[in-house]
Amino acid sequence: MNTGRLILPLAAAALAVDIGVTRLGFGLTLPAMKAELPGTFGLYGMIATLHLGSYLVGSMLAPLVLRRLGWRSVFVWAHLLVALGLVVQAQAASVEMLAAVRVFLGLSTGLGVLSALGASLESVEPRRWMLVSAVIWTGVALGMVISAPAGSWALEQTGRWRTVSMVCAAPALVIAVLAGLVPFPPYAAARAGAHKVRMIDGLRQLRDSTYLLVAYALYGFAYFVYATFALTRLVQGLAGTLTSAAWLWTAFGVTAAIGSLAMPLLMRGRLRPHAMTATVAIGALGALASLGTGNGFAIASAMLVGLGLTAAPAVASAYARERVDADVGPSALAVATIACAAGQMAGPVLTGVVIDVFGIESMAVLVLVGYALATVFAKLDQLHQMRMHQSS
């Protein structure tokens, strides 16, 4: 049986829940949460950072846990925990409780994302890694599009964000149940021996991809600042309506899907080395557009940032996987994920403090700086890889 065909849609659904809904949904419902559980932007930025910090821990633990339990068990347990976390989040009576639940969800989604990506790539031939990675990351966009109406609905009345959180637990539970019915591939690193799953092995084999990891970290910084505060900026800073908020998030998700699905076409032949540079450069253009005022600029910015939103992780995941040995693949994915998570951790807390001092408009400048630097380092990685191939 071709396990790849069955795991692929399941993995895409997992990322829709783990990132599209659970992580990015925080920015979608942030105005409603902040209205009911008062706190500064710096405080809510810290909550987002704590979520990413625990996601980072989950990513670091993934190779060890996978070696002991295998793909299926980790995937199932991770999404059962995500469902539980979303239910508990709906009961948060204070900012402190909300922060604790976000930490729990970060740990769970870290394990969930790594098991979904790793099992899918393990199920197909190396030549299909880019296509598979692109399709899986499209799930994030799907989660964003589906959740956009719910987020707009939650902004209309106090307490509705709690209902949204409860409802979002259902697909996580369904994914966990379906995973029990789908055949998963054997865990290659477990067959090769325990030493093959050490994090340091992935880091060593990616030592010539340092520029890529830095670019991915800067991308993580820029996109998560945007995803966390863009809707709040629209509603509070630009006086946007609930309808425009829904359109912004929908445009964000739809273009993210388009960008991810288009990547395999752009990755053929001579265009392939330019993929990471192109995806983050598009984000930089979107950040530049966000400096404009009015709903039109805001939605145009969302569309441009969205084009590179899931395409960049698809490219970075495929690059990391194909630059290492097969049995080190999960560790390499973990290293790449950690790099991105590190950037995401720094983004919200820094930006929240800056917003408290300089106002909500300052977030657009930080997004632009992050994407611009990511473009520079992606280009440096491209040039470095070209030099390596020429000398080999």
Side-chain angles (χ1 to χ4, degrees):
M1 181 181 294
N2 188 336
T3 60
R5 291 183 179 179
L6 297 175
I7 291 178
L8 184 57
L10 188 66
L15 265 66
V17 172
D18 295 343
I19 299 180
V21 173
T22 304
R23 183 191 303 175
L24 300 182
F26 181 76
L28 180 62
T29 56
L30 176 58
M33 288 179 174
K34 194 170 182 293
E36 187 174 343
L37 303 175
T40 64
F41 282 107
L43 177 59
Y44 274 89
M46 177 61 72
I47 292 175
T49 293
L50 289 173
H51 175 78
L52 265 298
S54 57
Y55 176 84
L56 180 64
V57 173
S59 300
M60 293 174 67
L61 291 175
L64 176 62
V65 178
L66 285 166
R67 179 173 63 85
R68 294 179 179 274
L69 301 178
W71 296 117
R72 185 202 302 276
S73 294
V74 174
F75 186 96
V76 170
W77 278 107
H79 290 94
L80 287 175
L81 293 175
V82 169
L84 174 63
L86 289 170
V87 171
V88 176
Q89 178 177 265
Q91 315 305 318
S94 64
V95 176
E96 292 78 11
M97 182 177 177
L98 178 63
V101 176
R102 295 302 297 175
V103 168
F104 178 82
L105 283 169
L107 181 64
S108 305
T109 54
L111 292 170
V113 169
L114 261 294
S115 59
L117 282 172
S120 299
L121 296 179
E122 192 84 12
S123 301
V124 299
E125 302 87 350
R127 62 183 177 83
R128 299 184 60 200
W129 281 341
M130 177 55 66
L131 175 61
V132 168
S133 184
V135 172
I136 294 172
W137 280 102
T138 303
V140 175
L142 177 63
M144 294 171 62
V145 172
I146 292 175
S147 62
S152 177
W153 179 77
L155 295 175
E156 294 177 356
Q157 185 175 317
T158 302
R160 283 186 174 181
W161 66 269
R162 299 180 183 275
T163 303
V164 171
S165 184
M166 288 283 290
V167 171
C168 288
L173 185 60
V174 170
I175 289 170
V177 172
L178 290 177
L181 307 175
V182 173
F184 276 67
Y187 185 59
R191 298 195 308 267
H195 69 284
K196 289 296 185 181
V197 298
R198 293 182 307 174
M199 188 69 64
I200 192 65
D201 290 325
L203 189 60
R204 282 172 177 167
Q205 293 199 20
L206 287 175
R207 63 183 179 276
D208 289 320
S209 298
T210 302
Y211 289 136
L212 172 67
L213 296 177
V214 173
Y216 200 22
L218 287 164
Y219 155 82
F221 174 94
Y223 107 78
F224 200 51
V225 168
Y226 184 88
T228 302
F229 295 111
L231 202 67
T232 301
R233 176 176 179 253
L234 176 67
V235 174
Q236 296 185 6
L238 301 178
T241 64
L242 296 179
T243 300
S244 61
W247 273 110
L248 182 144
W249 207 257
T250 301
F252 196 24
V254 169
T255 54
I258 293 172
S260 183
L261 291 174
M263 284 314 300
L265 299 177
L266 299 175
M267 290 276 297
R268 296 179 178 178
R270 295 182 179 180
L271 294 177
R272 186 180 182 85
H274 302 274
M276 190 67 182
T277 305
T279 55
V280 291
I282 291 172
L285 290 176
L288 187 62
S290 72
L291 296 178
T293 58
N295 292 345
F297 279 106
I299 293 176
S301 171
M303 294 176 69
L304 287 168
V305 173
L307 280 173
L309 179 68
T310 52
V315 174
S317 298
Y319 278 180
R321 189 65 180 82
E322 69 188 19
R323 293 179 185 180
V324 301
D325 297 335
D327 50 7
V328 184
S331 292
L333 283 175
V335 169
T337 301
I338 288 167
C340 186
Q344 293 174 78
M345 285 177 61
V349 64
L350 172 62
T351 305
V353 172
V354 171
I355 290 174
D356 286 330
V357 176
F358 297 102
I360 190 66
E361 296 299 324
S362 59
M363 60 82 59
V365 177
L366 291 179
V367 173
L368 177 59
V369 171
Y371 269 119
L373 289 175
T375 303
V376 171
F377 277 95
K379 186 63 178 180
L380 289 174
D381 175 70
Q382 175 190 340
L383 295 174
H384 180 64
Q385 296 300 318
M386 289 175 60
R387 286 194 295 267
M388 287 180 58
H389 290 150
Q390 290 172 355
S391 63
S392 62

Coordinates of all heavy atoms in Angstrom, one line a residue, residues 70-130:
G70 N 7.8 6.0 17.6 CA 7.4 5.9 16.2 C 6.5 7.0 15.8 O 6.0 7.7 16.6
W71 N 6.4 7.1 14.4 CA 5.6 8.2 13.8 C 4.1 8.2 14.3 O 3.6 9.3 14.7 CB 5.6 8.0 12.3 CG 6.9 8.2 11.6 CD1 7.6 7.2 10.9 CD2 7.8 9.3 11.6 NE1 8.8 7.7 10.4 CE2 8.9 9.0 10.8 CE3 7.7 10.6 12.1 CZ2 9.9 9.9 10.5 CZ3 8.7 11.5 11.9 CH2 9.8 11.1 11.1
R72 N 3.5 7.0 14.2 CA 2.0 7.0 14.5 C 1.7 7.5 15.9 O 0.8 8.3 16.2 CB 1.4 5.7 14.2 CG -0.1 5.6 14.4 CD -0.6 4.2 14.7 NE -0.2 3.3 13.6 CZ -0.9 3.1 12.5 NH1 -2.0 3.8 12.3 NH2 -0.5 2.3 11.6
S73 N 2.4 6.9 16.9 CA 2.1 7.1 18.3 C 2.3 8.6 18.6 O 1.5 9.2 19.3 CB 2.9 6.3 19.2 OG 2.5 4.9 19.1
V74 N 3.4 9.2 18.2 CA 3.7 10.6 18.5 C 2.6 11.5 17.8 O 2.1 12.4 18.4 CB 5.1 11.0 18.0 CG1 5.3 12.5 18.1 CG2 6.1 10.2 18.8
F75 N 2.3 11.2 16.6 CA 1.3 11.9 15.8 C -0.1 11.9 16.6 O -0.7 12.9 16.8 CB 1.1 11.4 14.4 CG 0.2 12.2 13.5 CD1 0.7 13.1 12.7 CD2 -1.2 12.0 13.6 CE1 -0.1 13.9 11.8 CE2 -2.0 12.7 12.7 CZ -1.5 13.7 11.9
V76 N -0.5 10.7 17.0 CA -1.8 10.6 17.6 C -1.8 11.3 19.0 O -2.8 12.1 19.2 CB -2.2 9.1 17.8 CG1 -3.4 8.9 18.7 CG2 -2.4 8.4 16.5
W77 N -0.8 11.0 19.8 CA -0.8 11.6 21.1 C -0.7 13.2 21.0 O -1.3 13.9 21.8 CB 0.3 11.1 22.0 CG -0.1 9.8 22.6 CD1 0.4 8.5 22.3 CD2 -1.0 9.6 23.7 NE1 -0.2 7.6 23.1 CE2 -1.0 8.2 23.9 CE3 -1.7 10.5 24.5 CZ2 -1.8 7.7 25.0 CZ3 -2.5 9.9 25.5 CH2 -2.6 8.6 25.7
A78 N 0.1 13.6 20.1 CA 0.3 15.1 19.9 C -1.1 15.8 19.7 O -1.4 16.8 20.3 CB 1.3 15.4 18.8
H79 N -1.9 15.2 18.8 CA -3.1 15.8 18.4 C -4.2 15.6 19.4 O -5.2 16.4 19.5 CB -3.5 15.4 17.0 CG -2.6 16.0 16.0 ND1 -1.5 15.3 15.5 CD2 -2.6 17.2 15.4 CE1 -0.9 16.1 14.6 NE2 -1.5 17.3 14.6
L80 N -4.2 14.6 20.2 CA -5.1 14.4 21.4 C -4.8 15.5 22.4 O -5.7 16.1 22.9 CB -4.9 13.1 22.0 CG -5.5 11.9 21.2 CD1 -5.1 10.6 22.0 CD2 -7.0 12.0 21.1
L81 N -3.5 15.8 22.6 CA -3.1 16.9 23.5 C -3.5 18.3 22.9 O -3.9 19.2 23.7 CB -1.6 16.8 23.8 CG -1.1 15.6 24.5 CD1 0.4 15.6 24.6 CD2 -1.7 15.6 25.9
V82 N -3.4 18.5 21.6 CA -3.8 19.7 21.0 C -5.3 20.0 21.3 O -5.7 21.1 21.6 CB -3.5 19.8 19.5 CG1 -4.2 20.9 18.8 CG2 -2.0 19.8 19.3
A83 N -6.1 18.9 21.0 CA -7.6 19.0 21.3 C -7.8 19.4 22.7 O -8.7 20.2 23.0 CB -8.2 17.7 20.9
L84 N -7.2 18.7 23.6 CA -7.3 19.0 25.1 C -7.0 20.5 25.4 O -7.7 21.2 26.1 CB -6.5 18.1 25.9 CG -6.5 18.3 27.4 CD1 -7.8 18.1 28.0 CD2 -5.5 17.4 28.1
G85 N -5.8 20.9 24.8 CA -5.4 22.3 25.1 C -6.4 23.3 24.6 O -6.6 24.3 25.2
L86 N -7.0 23.1 23.4 CA -7.9 24.1 22.9 C -9.2 24.1 23.7 O -9.8 25.2 23.9 CB -8.3 23.7 21.4 CG -7.2 23.9 20.4 CD1 -7.5 23.3 19.1 CD2 -6.9 25.4 20.3
V87 N -9.6 23.0 24.3 CA -10.8 23.0 25.2 C -10.4 23.7 26.5 O -11.3 24.6 26.9 CB -11.2 21.5 25.5 CG1 -12.2 21.5 26.6 CG2 -11.7 20.8 24.3
V88 N -9.3 23.5 27.0 CA -8.9 24.2 28.3 C -8.7 25.7 28.0 O -9.0 26.5 28.8 CB -7.6 23.6 28.8 CG1 -7.1 24.4 30.1 CG2 -7.8 22.1 29.2
Q89 N -8.2 26.1 26.8 CA -8.0 27.5 26.5 C -9.3 28.2 26.5 O -9.4 29.4 27.0 CB -7.4 27.6 25.1 CG -7.2 29.0 24.6 CD -6.5 29.1 23.3 OE1 -5.3 29.2 23.2 NE2 -7.3 29.0 22.2
A90 N -10.4 27.6 26.1 CA -11.7 28.2 26.2 C -12.2 28.5 27.6 O -13.1 29.3 27.8 CB -12.7 27.3 25.5
Q91 N -11.6 27.9 28.6 CA -12.0 28.1 30.0 C -11.0 29.1 30.7 O -11.2 29.3 31.9 CB -11.9 26.8 30.7 CG -12.5 25.6 30.0 CD -14.0 25.8 29.6 OE1 -14.8 26.4 30.3 NE2 -14.3 25.4 28.4
A92 N -10.1 29.7 30.0 CA -9.1 30.6 30.6 C -9.8 31.7 31.3 O -10.5 32.5 30.7 CB -8.1 31.1 29.6
A93 N -9.5 31.9 32.6 CA -10.2 32.9 33.4 C -9.2 34.1 33.7 O -9.7 35.1 34.2 CB -10.7 32.3 34.7
S94 N -8.0 34.0 33.2 CA -7.0 35.0 33.5 C -5.9 35.0 32.4 O -5.8 34.0 31.7 CB -6.4 34.9 34.9 OG -5.6 33.7 34.9
V95 N -5.2 36.0 32.3 CA -4.1 36.1 31.3 C -3.0 35.0 31.7 O -2.4 34.4 30.8 CB -3.4 37.5 31.3 CG1 -2.2 37.5 30.4 CG2 -4.4 38.5 30.8
E96 N -2.8 34.8 33.0 CA -1.9 33.8 33.4 C -2.3 32.4 33.0 O -1.4 31.6 32.5 CB -1.7 33.8 35.0 CG -1.1 35.1 35.5 CD -2.0 36.3 35.6 OE1 -3.2 36.1 35.4 OE2 -1.5 37.4 35.8
M97 N -3.5 32.1 33.1 CA -4.0 30.8 32.7 C -3.9 30.6 31.2 O -3.5 29.5 30.7 CB -5.5 30.5 33.2 CG -6.0 29.2 32.8 SD -7.7 28.9 33.4 CE -8.0 27.3 32.8
L98 N -4.2 31.7 30.5 CA -4.1 31.7 29.0 C -2.7 31.4 28.6 O -2.4 30.6 27.7 CB -4.6 33.0 28.4 CG -4.4 33.2 26.9 CD1 -5.3 32.2 26.2 CD2 -4.8 34.6 26.5
A99 N -1.7 32.0 29.3 CA -0.3 31.8 29.0 C 0.1 30.4 29.2 O 0.8 29.8 28.4 CB 0.6 32.7 29.8
A100 N -0.4 29.8 30.3 CA 0.0 28.4 30.6 C -0.6 27.4 29.6 O 0.1 26.5 29.1 CB -0.6 28.0 32.0
V101 N -1.8 27.7 29.1 CA -2.4 26.8 28.1 C -1.6 27.0 26.8 O -1.4 26.0 26.1 CB -3.9 27.2 27.9 CG1 -4.5 26.4 26.8 CG2 -4.7 26.9 29.2
R102 N -1.2 28.2 26.4 CA -0.5 28.4 25.2 C 0.9 27.7 25.2 O 1.3 27.2 24.2 CB -0.3 29.9 25.0 CG -1.5 30.7 24.7 CD -2.3 30.3 23.6 NE -1.6 30.4 22.3 CZ -2.1 30.0 21.1 NH1 -3.2 29.4 21.1 NH2 -1.3 30.2 20.0
V103 N 1.5 27.6 26.4 CA 2.7 26.8 26.5 C 2.4 25.4 26.2 O 3.2 24.7 25.5 CB 3.3 27.0 27.9 CG1 4.4 26.0 28.2 CG2 3.9 28.4 28.1
F104 N 1.4 24.8 26.8 CA 1.0 23.4 26.6 C 0.7 23.2 25.1 O 1.1 22.1 24.6 CB -0.3 23.1 27.5 CG -0.8 21.7 27.3 CD1 -0.2 20.7 28.0 CD2 -1.9 21.5 26.5 CE1 -0.7 19.4 27.9 CE2 -2.4 20.2 26.3 CZ -1.8 19.2 27.0
L105 N 0.0 24.1 24.5 CA -0.3 23.9 23.1 C 0.9 24.0 22.2 O 1.1 23.3 21.2 CB -1.3 25.0 22.6 CG -2.8 24.7 23.0 CD1 -3.6 26.0 22.8 CD2 -3.3 23.5 22.3
G106 N 1.9 24.8 22.6 CA 3.1 24.9 21.8 C 3.9 23.6 21.9 O 4.4 23.2 20.8
L107 N 4.0 23.0 23.0 CA 4.7 21.7 23.1 C 4.0 20.7 22.3 O 4.7 19.9 21.6 CB 4.7 21.3 24.6 CG 5.4 20.0 24.9 CD1 6.9 20.1 24.6 CD2 5.2 19.6 26.4
S108 N 2.7 20.6 22.4 CA 1.9 19.6 21.6 C 2.1 19.8 20.1 O 2.2 18.8 19.4 CB 0.4 19.7 22.0 OG 0.3 19.5 23.4
T109 N 1.9 21.0 19.6 CA 2.0 21.3 18.2 C 3.5 21.1 17.7 O 3.6 20.7 16.5 CB 1.5 22.7 17.8 OG1 2.3 23.6 18.6 CG2 0.0 22.8 18.1
G110 N 4.5 21.3 18.5 CA 5.8 21.0 18.1 C 6.0 19.6 17.8 O 6.6 19.2 16.7
L111 N 5.5 18.7 18.6 CA 5.6 17.2 18.3 C 4.7 16.9 17.1 O 5.0 16.1 16.3 CB 5.1 16.5 19.5 CG 6.0 16.5 20.8 CD1 5.3 15.9 22.0 CD2 7.3 15.8 20.5
G112 N 3.5 17.5 17.0 CA 2.6 17.2 15.9 C 3.1 17.6 14.6 O 3.0 16.8 13.6
V113 N 3.7 18.8 14.5 CA 4.2 19.3 13.2 C 5.4 18.4 12.7 O 5.5 18.0 11.5 CB 4.6 20.7 13.3 CG1 5.4 21.2 12.0 CG2 3.4 21.6 13.4
L114 N 6.3 18.1 13.6 CA 7.5 17.3 13.2 C 7.1 15.9 12.8 O 7.6 15.3 11.9 CB 8.5 17.3 14.4 CG 9.7 18.2 14.3 CD1 10.6 17.9 13.2 CD2 9.2 19.7 14.2
S115 N 6.1 15.3 13.5 CA 5.7 13.9 13.2 C 5.0 13.9 11.9 O 5.1 13.0 11.1 CB 4.8 13.3 14.3 OG 3.7 14.1 14.5
A116 N 4.2 15.0 11.6 CA 3.4 15.1 10.3 C 4.4 15.2 9.1 O 4.3 14.5 8.1 CB 2.4 16.2 10.4
L117 N 5.3 16.2 9.3 CA 6.3 16.4 8.2 C 7.2 15.2 8.0 O 7.4 14.8 6.8 CB 7.1 17.7 8.5 CG 6.5 19.0 8.3 CD1 7.4 20.1 8.8 CD2 6.2 19.3 6.8
G118 N 7.7 14.7 9.0 CA 8.7 13.6 8.9 C 8.1 12.4 8.3 O 8.7 11.8 7.5
A119 N 6.9 12.0 8.8 CA 6.3 10.8 8.3 C 5.9 10.9 6.8 O 6.1 9.9 6.1 CB 5.0 10.5 9.1
S120 N 5.5 12.1 6.4 CA 5.1 12.3 5.0 C 6.4 12.2 4.1 O 6.3 11.5 3.1 CB 4.5 13.7 4.9 OG 3.3 13.7 5.6
L121 N 7.4 12.9 4.5 CA 8.6 12.8 3.7 C 9.3 11.4 3.7 O 9.9 11.0 2.7 CB 9.7 13.9 4.1 CG 9.2 15.3 4.0 CD1 10.3 16.3 4.6 CD2 8.9 15.7 2.6
E122 N 9.1 10.7 4.8 CA 9.7 9.4 4.8 C 8.9 8.4 3.9 O 9.4 7.3 3.6 CB 9.6 8.9 6.3 CG 10.3 7.6 6.6 CD 11.8 7.9 6.9 OE1 12.2 9.0 7.1 OE2 12.6 6.9 6.9
S123 N 7.7 8.8 3.6 CA 6.8 7.9 2.8 C 7.0 8.0 1.3 O 6.4 7.2 0.6 CB 5.3 8.2 3.2 OG 5.1 8.0 4.5
V124 N 7.8 9.0 0.8 CA 7.9 9.2 -0.6 C 9.4 9.2 -1.0 O 10.2 9.3 -0.2 CB 7.2 10.5 -1.0 CG1 5.7 10.5 -0.7 CG2 7.9 11.7 -0.4
E125 N 9.6 9.1 -2.3 CA 10.9 9.2 -2.9 C 11.5 10.6 -2.7 O 10.8 11.6 -2.7 CB 11.0 8.8 -4.3 CG 10.4 7.4 -4.7 CD 8.9 7.5 -4.8 OE1 8.3 8.6 -4.5 OE2 8.3 6.5 -5.3
P126 N 12.8 10.7 -2.5 CA 13.5 12.0 -2.4 C 13.1 13.0 -3.5 O 13.0 14.2 -3.2 CB 15.0 11.7 -2.4 CG 15.0 10.3 -1.8 CD 13.8 9.6 -2.4
R127 N 12.9 12.5 -4.7 CA 12.6 13.5 -5.8 C 11.3 14.2 -5.6 O 11.0 15.2 -6.2 CB 12.7 12.7 -7.1 CG 11.7 11.6 -7.3 CD 11.8 10.9 -8.6 NE 10.9 9.8 -8.7 CZ 9.6 9.9 -9.1 NH1 9.1 11.1 -9.4 NH2 8.8 8.9 -9.2
R128 N 10.4 13.6 -4.7 CA 9.1 14.2 -4.5 C 9.0 15.0 -3.2 O 7.9 15.5 -2.9 CB 8.1 13.1 -4.5 CG 7.9 12.3 -5.8 CD 6.8 11.2 -5.7 NE 5.5 11.9 -5.5 CZ 4.5 11.3 -5.0 NH1 4.5 10.0 -4.6 NH2 3.3 11.9 -4.8
W129 N 10.1 15.2 -2.5 CA 10.1 15.9 -1.3 C 9.6 17.3 -1.4 O 8.8 17.8 -0.6 CB 11.5 15.9 -0.6 CG 11.8 14.6 0.0 CD1 10.9 13.6 0.4 CD2 13.1 14.1 0.4 NE1 11.6 12.6 1.0 CE2 12.9 12.8 1.0 CE3 14.4 14.6 0.2 CZ2 14.0 12.1 1.4 CZ3 15.5 13.9 0.7 CH2 15.3 12.6 1.3
M130 N 10.0 18.0 -2.4 CA 9.5 19.4 -2.6 C 8.0 19.5 -2.8 O 7.3 20.3 -2.2 CB 10.3 20.1 -3.7 CG 9.8 21.5 -4.0 SD 9.9 22.6 -2.5 CE 11.7 22.6 -2.3

